[in-house]
Amino acid sequence: MKKNIVLLIMIVSLTGCLWEKIEITSDYIINGNWSEHVNSIEINKLRLKKDSTINPFANLNQAEILEKLEDDTSFIFVGNVKYNGEKYSTRKVFFNKKNNFLWWTTKGDTQIETIGSLQKNTWYKFSSLGNYPYIVYIYVDSANKVHRFTVNQSNW
């Protein structure tokens, strides 16, 4: 019985290491998990729910993030990263420059070449990151520094 538990813990630990790094700044994202077949992204601007407060400089847990933030439907964009000669897993996808693909709203009624740099003092949610099983929440502070919180929604 103890061997099975140890084996299970080892498998879960090793599986968690299979995902590559994702780097997000206010101007671009690099997703080491993207490939020719898996290369999507969804970016949602978030706002605080009514009567909520949240300190983006604290060590927040996923319950606090999920309970206090909600989508701002004025900014929800989806993209499929197209091949441009660069390796998918190391490619910088810019928010404020053309990337050789279009961003579109989840309603599909708007397509644009750039979505602009991420705004200061604003929360964002990054999902549909290929085979990466987590959702990444970020806060861009007044100095344009990104504070990252990774959430496993399958536990929620």
Side-chain angles (χ1 to χ4, degrees):
M1 179 69 171
K2 286 184 181 180
K3 286 183 180 181
N4 289 342
I5 292 173
V6 170
L7 181 62
L8 180 61
I9 290 171
M10 287 177 59
I11 290 171
V12 169
S13 297
L14 289 173
T15 305
C17 297
L18 294 177
W19 294 290
E20 299 293 330
K21 179 181 169 188
I22 297 175
E23 178 183 347
I24 302 172
T25 73
S26 62
D27 294 320
Y28 67 84
I29 180 172
I30 300 172
N31 182 351
N33 300 287
W34 279 330
S35 69
E36 178 182 356
H37 303 290
V38 181
N39 52 37
S40 61
I41 182 173
E42 181 175 328
I43 304 173
N44 302 49
K45 185 190 251 184
L46 302 172
R47 63 177 173 237
L48 280 173
K49 290 183 180 176
K50 188 175 181 174
D51 300 324
S52 290
T53 60
I54 193 167
N55 180 357
F57 307 106
N59 188 15
L60 300 171
N61 63 43
Q62 70 184 37
E64 291 175 294
I65 291 170
L66 295 173
E67 289 172 358
K68 295 180 178 185
L69 295 171
E70 63 186 2
D71 288 337
D72 176 344
T73 57
S74 70
F75 186 102
I76 301 175
F77 287 95
V78 177
N80 283 326
V81 179
K82 292 191 176 174
Y83 185 69
N84 71 348
E86 295 178 62
K87 189 174 178 183
Y88 281 96
S89 61
T90 58
R91 178 178 176 191
K92 281 185 183 178
V93 171
F94 291 93
F95 309 130
N96 57 353
K97 298 179 185 177
K98 294 179 183 180
N99 292 293
N100 195 31
F101 67 86
L102 294 175
W103 297 92
W104 66 91
T105 62
T106 53
K107 297 176 186 174
D109 57 355
T110 303
Q111 293 185 345
I112 56 176
E113 291 182 320
T114 67
I115 60 175
S117 295
L118 303 182
Q119 296 176 347
K120 294 177 181 178
N121 301 313
T122 305
W123 284 93
Y124 294 90
K125 176 175 67 175
F126 288 74
S127 57
S128 299
L129 295 169
N131 63 354
Y132 190 68
Y134 303 102
I135 295 178
V136 178
Y137 288 77
I138 67 162
Y139 179 77
V140 182
D141 69 19
S142 61
N144 220 28
K145 182 179 178 191
V146 171
H147 303 268
R148 178 180 170 154
F149 305 89
T150 302
V151 172
N152 181 356
Q153 288 236 18
S154 65
N155 286 357
W156 190 245

